Amino acid sequence: RPTRDLLREAERALLRHRTEASAPWVAYNIRIHEETQQRIELRRELRRALDEDQFELHFQPKVDLATGMLVACEALLRWNHPERGRIPPGVFIPIAEQSQLITPIGDWVLRRACRHLRDWRDAGLEPVRVAVAVNVSLVQFQMGDFATRVRDILGEFGVAPQELALEITESVFERESDSLLNQMRELHDMGVRLSLDDFGTGYSSLLYLQRYPFDEIKIDQAFVLHLLDDPFSRHIVETVMMLARALDAEVVAEGIESAAVGEALLAMGCRFGQGFYYSKPLEAEAFRWLLEQRGSLPLTADAAR
């Protein structure tokens, strides 16, 4: 076989080994070939999805745990493939990041979120404190001009920086740099809220929490889910609450699936949360209807009809 083919297969096996740290070595096989071809095809279709507007945003409400009133929402990207149907973000987001497509896709998300926000404002629907939170990838920061792009998009739609929150996972600290810190400070100084997402599952340390200007810390749903039956999870939540007070940051609990968990979080001092108990992520039209109701969550059966 040609040497170039053997080298290509060795590189693919090496890449697999890097993603499977538990394996002492990885041999190239047909499965690796098939998965590589699938990623190549999906990358090509992602470009087409951008051109053909196959993406859409769903919105999950964030609520005041004391009243159930909607105070904000998280914009979640969805891909409706014309042939494959709904493709999970966990499948296509890593490919978008590897191929640098996450930058134009991320800009699309920001523009669409700001457009929805402007439409809600124009319709007089203003029940939210921070209207939209958008998830951001490390790759978007690595381009070096992310803060400028955010400012331009806000200006394009006439949205105030205070009406946007950027949710950043702990993975950004894998490649901490002065550029990352400077961009986050610029965004914060601009008035954009910064939220540390999935806290407790990755790379965070007290040093990062002290250096970076986070306005909000989100407790990962893995700890929230077992809050009532696992002492360790409860201790983690209590620790996050303590850290947040020291940093003068708000806390948002993710993954609330029962009234009992919401009440326990409120008793611990957590004011805000989101989860299926209050509402699943909603399509834009359904979320707009929710704004029009100006009621509390979860909806009663009569209100939901």
Side-chain angles (χ1 to χ4, degrees), residues 215-243:
D215 303 285
E216 176 183 282
I217 299 175
K218 298 190 74 174
I219 306 174
D220 186 77
Q221 60 184 353
F223 302 118
V224 174
L225 183 63
H226 297 289
L227 177 66
L228 301 181
D229 55 37
D230 177 28
F232 176 77
S233 293
R234 185 176 183 88
H235 290 326
I236 291 293
V237 174
E238 291 172 341
T239 301
V240 175
M241 296 298 304
M242 179 181 65
L243 288 172

Side-chain angles (χ1 to χ4, degrees), residues 179-209:
S179 174
L180 172 64
L181 179 59
N182 291 337
Q183 289 183 80
M184 289 180 64
R185 285 177 174 170
E186 184 178 351
L187 287 163
H188 187 264
D189 292 343
M190 191 190 309
V192 174
R193 289 176 60 85
L194 300 179
S195 175
L196 180 58
D197 199 9
D198 298 338
F199 182 78
T201 61
Y203 301 85
S204 281
S205 73
L206 295 181
L207 176 62
Y208 295 143
L209 290 176

Side-chain angles (χ1 to χ4, degrees), residues 16 20 52 66 153 182 219 237 296:
R16 171 60 63 85
E20 297 180 0
E52 298 179 0
I153 291 172
N182 291 337
I219 306 174
V237 174
S296 61

Side-chain angles (χ1 to χ4, degrees), residues 34-50:
E34 292 173 348
E35 291 177 354
T36 300
Q37 294 304 117
Q38 289 173 0
R39 285 196 299 271
I40 293 172
E41 180 61 25
L42 204 56
R43 187 181 306 129
R44 185 181 304 115
E45 294 181 354
L46 270 172
R47 291 191 179 93
R48 186 180 307 124
L50 266 175

Side-chain angles (χ1 to χ4, degrees), residues 33-193:
H33 172 75
E34 292 173 348
E35 291 177 354
T36 300
Q37 294 304 117
Q38 289 173 0
R39 285 196 299 271
I40 293 172
E41 180 61 25
L42 204 56
R43 187 181 306 129
R44 185 181 304 115
E45 294 181 354
L46 270 172
R47 291 191 179 93
R48 186 180 307 124
L50 266 175
D51 294 338
E52 298 179 0
D53 203 24
Q54 295 174 12
F55 295 116
E56 64 181 42
L57 291 184
H58 288 193
F59 299 91
Q60 184 167 33
K62 297 181 183 180
V63 304
D64 183 323
L65 297 181
T67 64
M69 297 301 294
L70 192 155
V71 296
C73 65
E74 179 180 359
L76 300 167
L77 181 62
R78 297 292 183 260
W79 181 11
N80 293 315
H81 192 282
E83 298 172 0
R84 304 189 191 191
R86 184 68 54 79
I87 299 180
V91 172
F92 70 84
I93 291 296
I95 294 174
E97 291 179 328
Q98 293 166 9
S99 63
Q100 303 295 315
L101 283 171
I102 195 65
T103 297
I105 290 175
D107 286 352
W108 182 93
V109 171
L110 279 169
R111 282 193 168 87
R112 186 57 58 92
C114 287
R115 191 175 82 180
H116 281 298
L117 176 55
R118 182 58 184 267
D119 289 345
W120 301 333
R121 296 298 192 216
D122 289 347
L125 303 173
E126 300 191 38
V128 288
R129 177 177 54 90
V130 176
V132 180
V134 171
N135 293 279
V136 180
S137 164
L138 170 62
V139 179
Q140 291 171 266
F141 282 104
Q142 289 176 329
M143 299 302 291
D145 61 348
F146 182 59
T148 300
R149 296 204 309 279
V150 170
R151 180 185 288 106
D152 291 344
I153 291 172
L154 290 171
E156 179 182 347
F157 291 93
V159 172
Q162 294 77 11
E163 296 175 317
L164 176 68
L166 299 178
E167 296 195 358
I168 304 161
T169 66
E170 295 180 74
S171 63
V172 298
F173 301 128
E174 282 184 272
R175 300 181 183 178
E176 189 196 13
S177 67
D178 289 340
S179 174
L180 172 64
L181 179 59
N182 291 337
Q183 289 183 80
M184 289 180 64
R185 285 177 174 170
E186 184 178 351
L187 287 163
H188 187 264
D189 292 343
M190 191 190 309
V192 174
R193 289 176 60 85

